[in-house]
Amino acid sequence: MTPDNSLIQAYLKANPETQSAVNGTLLGKFTSGDALVTAHLAPMIDWAYERIAEKVGAADLNEAQARMYIAELSVFARYNAQFLKAAATSVEGFCPELAHELRRNHLEEGGERGKVPAHYVLYTNALLSDLGLLVNGHVPARETETLVNLHQWMVGSHMPSFIAGAYYATEAVAIAETEILRDITNRYGELTGQGSGSELKALHYYYELHLDEGHEAAQVDGMSVEAAHIEGLARFIKESELFHVELPQAMDGWLTITEGMTHWWAQLAHRAWEMN
């Protein structure tokens, strides 16, 4: 990745107010976490993932391309619960409230006794039952390995505020990524004659679990599972003074993971293009 092909850098170049806010945050001059999230970071995510969805072009993928995306996208889900657990342990002495939120997410992702099973298990089993796709044990491509490494290094950081910003970034993209993944699996189902949408019963349940505010798995009134994860972690940036989160560190963490995730998608799109 270079400044010339980074979606984040492109957005900053086109939006000088956000560039000023990001620079000011890193320099300790922009101190409103609420304004940072609401006016700058959230819109940047929306814009970047609109571009990513266009690059992926799920409706035009061939079978091999769709299968590649599905396999690569399964890898992070394999490790996310353990990353959340490690992040919670790293920050618990600094901010027990942040640790609590990360552990809540860990239990949802990793499977809490008596509730919904681990999301990775739900997803991989759904792929197997609905599409006949076995992704368990898939060895990731280099760009996916890089993304996993970025998270592995992040959750062990000695800077709790860095972790706060980085995990907010991870969760902030979750709805957009889930919607793109849903489009890809629907495309694969159509290409292989197995259907799409509600015809893929297990996958439909999985996507509704993440995106439907009325789903049985939703624990926060009026919010889907993913929306609650986003808002739960955004709170620590928005209310940084209350939780003693250092915004410059949080901004660094956010940029580290957001650049990593958008670069990952760009590299996967390039890999798919090479498969034409």
Side-chain angles (χ1 to χ4, degrees), residues 63-230:
E63 184 178 331
Q65 291 169 325
R67 186 169 59 247
M68 179 277 294
Y69 274 114
I70 291 167
E72 293 302 320
L73 290 164
S74 74
V75 174
F76 184 75
R78 187 189 303 169
Y79 300 110
N80 190 29
Q82 73 186 57
F83 288 156
L84 284 161
K85 183 180 179 182
T89 299
S90 293
V91 305
E92 62 186 352
F94 170 79
C95 183
E97 297 90 347
L98 176 57
H100 174 76
E101 179 63 21
L102 290 165
R103 285 205 171 93
R104 185 183 74 80
N105 293 1
H106 159 70
L107 287 172
E108 286 190 355
E109 290 286 341
E112 186 173 358
R113 292 182 180 93
K115 296 186 179 180
V116 177
H119 291 186
Y120 174 70
V121 173
L122 283 175
Y123 177 57
T124 54
N125 285 356
L127 291 174
L128 198 56
S129 63
D130 286 350
L131 299 175
L133 277 177
L134 177 65
V135 298
N136 305 70
H138 170 72
V139 178
R142 182 182 303 170
E143 55 267 29
T144 304
E145 183 181 1
T146 297
L147 180 69
V148 171
N149 283 337
L150 285 172
H151 279 82
Q152 182 68 65
W153 299 328
M154 175 267 288
V155 299
S157 174
H158 67 288
M159 299 182 292
S161 297
F162 179 91
I163 294 173
Y167 239 112
Y168 166 58
T170 301
E171 294 293 356
V173 306
I175 290 176
E177 290 196 337
T178 302
E179 290 173 343
I180 295 171
L181 178 57
R182 180 181 59 189
D183 291 343
I184 294 170
T185 52
N186 280 338
R187 174 63 173 168
Y188 186 85
E190 291 167 356
L191 290 170
T192 56
Q194 297 171 93
S196 64
S198 59
E199 295 173 310
L200 305 172
K201 293 183 179 180
L203 281 167
H204 182 69
Y205 175 85
Y206 175 81
Y207 293 129
E208 290 294 293
L209 180 154
H210 285 81
L211 302 174
D212 182 5
E213 62 190 33
H215 195 277
E216 61 179 335
Q219 296 187 20
V220 178
D221 289 342
M223 289 188 182
S224 67
V225 166
E226 292 299 353
H229 286 185
I230 294 169

